[in-house]
Amino acid sequence: MANTIRMKIGGIEYSVTSDDDEAYIRSLGSELERRIDAIQKRSPFLSTTMTAIVAALDALDECKKSEAENEKLRLEIKKLLEETACAKLDADILRRKVEQLTGLGDNNSNGDLPF
């Protein structure tokens, strides 16, 4: 069910309709308000529209960098999982070899190799 949330951002009141939780939408509005305030303090000569554009560009920049970092981490995890699978296979092979060698010792009580 869609929620309509009224909030003030950059001195202007907005009605936002969303299926997301109201607290989440309000947290987005608060973050945007914080960004706009910071930009206006740094550059008080910018219009409201220009300030909003700079805030949007900052947010998109963070988003794109986060997406790139997430992809990098996904690839690293995939690589580590592949290395783990190879290590498990190697461990299984070595375990079988140890079992074979141990089995030779049990079947041959004098310790001579059966050649």
Side-chain angles (χ1 to χ4, degrees), residues 9-10 14 20 34 36 43 47-49 59 61-62 69 71 74 80-83 89 91 94 103 105 112:
I9 302 170
Y14 294 93
D20 290 319
R34 186 195 62 75
I36 287 172
S43 305
S47 69
T48 303
T49 302
D61 179 51
E62 286 179 20
E69 183 63 22
E71 184 59 26
R74 275 190 209 97
L80 291 171
L81 288 172
E82 289 170 355
E83 289 174 2
L89 286 174
L94 291 173
D112 292 337

Side-chain angles (χ1 to χ4, degrees), residues 98-109 111-115:
V98 167
E99 288 170 359
Q100 288 173 347
L101 292 173
T102 303
L104 285 177
D106 291 343
N107 292 336
N108 189 356
S109 60
D112 292 337
L113 294 175
F115 293 15

